[in-house]
Amino acid sequence: MTDRQSKIAVVTGAGSGVGRAVAVELLHAGWSVALAGRRPETLEETAALAPGAATLAVRADVARPDDVAALFAATVERFGRVDLLFNNAGTFGPGGVPVEDLSYEAWRHVVDTNLNGAFLCAQAAYRRMKQQAPQGGRIINNGSISAHTPRPHSAPYTATKHALTGLTKALSLDGRPYRIAVGQIDIGNAATDMTARMESGALQANGEVVPEPVMDVADVARTVRHMAELPLEANVQFATVLATTMPYVGRG
């Protein structure tokens, strides 16, 4: 085996969208990938996009500590170690709901998935990476353009993505003694089911609804692969990948 072929990744939210694209990109590059998500059938669909590659589909809700523990235990049992966590699972929550009408249950669901889930997975990966030999690995958190600039009616999503940036920085610092590199990719308008509404019209800060450009999700996947395949002595701390003409720089 080459070094690349022996690399082991865990990708959360691997059943669709960015997670699926990144998982397939890594599989085509020779990585072994544990595919995590809440729907086993979509994980199997992702695996089928890279026939013959080394995959492990694990049903897991990242907001549940027991599910996360089982995910990493299954990965190590199958592949022996964890070299990469792509901390991708997330939800936007109820779109278009003014903050005064947002239910606590909706707020809590987004926080549990986007922030608590990211923490639980990073913690589990960190423990494995610290203990394994050779020591170390990489965690890439999926942030968002909303980690910098919010959209209207996006309080839960934006708050969690801002918090994820703080988590990325703290984990990056704490991982230094153990060769654990931690970075974040902030994505804007990649063409997935989650962003399909962008092309038909998205609410802007001035109250208008305007169609927005999108980019190929494969371009995001290639960026994540580049970050993942750097030696542990190098790290992309933060990367922003977006549709070139989306309303981000100068938004509002």
Side-chain angles (χ1 to χ4, degrees):
M1 278 190 175
T2 66
D3 287 342
R4 180 178 295 171
Q5 288 172 326
S6 67
K7 294 291 187 180
I8 312 302
V10 175
V11 177
T12 64
S16 63
V18 170
R20 171 174 285 179
V22 168
V24 171
E25 177 73 19
L26 293 173
L27 288 166
H28 285 161
W31 287 67
S32 300
V33 181
L35 308 166
R38 291 182 295 177
R39 294 183 295 162
E41 64 275 13
T42 63
L43 300 178
E44 296 296 343
E45 290 170 4
T46 298
L49 296 174
T55 62
L56 173 67
V58 182
R59 189 212 167 278
D61 181 342
V62 298
R64 297 178 177 272
D66 290 346
D67 281 15
V68 172
L71 165 63
F72 282 85
T75 301
V76 173
E77 181 179 0
R78 171 71 179 274
F79 297 121
R81 60 182 287 117
V82 177
D83 295 296
L84 171 70
L85 164 65
F86 181 45
N87 223 350
N88 166 73
T91 180
F92 190 82
V97 178
V99 66
E100 66 271 21
D101 296 326
L102 185 72
S103 70
Y104 176 72
E105 290 74 18
W107 167 272
R108 182 62 183 268
H109 174 65
V110 177
V111 172
D112 281 345
T113 303
N114 294 5
L115 181 57
N116 295 341
F119 166 75
L120 289 170
C121 289
Q123 182 184 55
Y126 189 101
R127 287 169 173 165
R128 298 288 180 177
M129 292 171 179
K130 182 179 177 181
Q131 295 169 359
Q132 64 195 12
Q135 190 181 62
R138 189 181 305 276
I139 299 169
I140 301 173
N141 292 325
N142 186 352
S144 170
I145 294 298
S146 290
H148 307 275
T149 305
R151 289 184 178 278
H153 306 322
S154 67
Y157 185 78
T158 296
T160 57
K161 293 305 182 177
H162 274 69
L164 194 64
T165 298
L167 181 64
T168 296
K169 292 179 178 180
L171 291 173
S172 183
L173 181 62
D174 292 345
R176 287 180 182 176
Y178 311 108
R179 302 187 74 243
I180 300 173
V182 185
Q184 180 171 314
I185 183 166
D186 296 323
I187 303 166
N189 288 14
T192 67
D193 291 342
M194 190 174 180
T195 60
R197 61 187 176 82
M198 300 296 180
E199 292 182 275
S200 59
L203 181 63
Q204 307 297 307
N206 64 1
E208 295 181 2
V209 176
V210 179
E212 292 189 11
V214 297
M215 62 176 170
D216 192 334
V217 70
D219 294 323
V220 176
R222 284 190 288 269
T223 303
V224 174
R225 177 185 163 192
H226 167 71
M227 296 169 70
E229 293 187 338
L230 288 172
L232 292 178
E233 292 73 26
N235 187 39
V236 176
Q237 189 69 69
F238 292 97
T240 302
V241 184
L242 70 164
T244 303
T245 56
M246 74 168 288
Y248 166 55
V249 178
R251 180 190 289 181

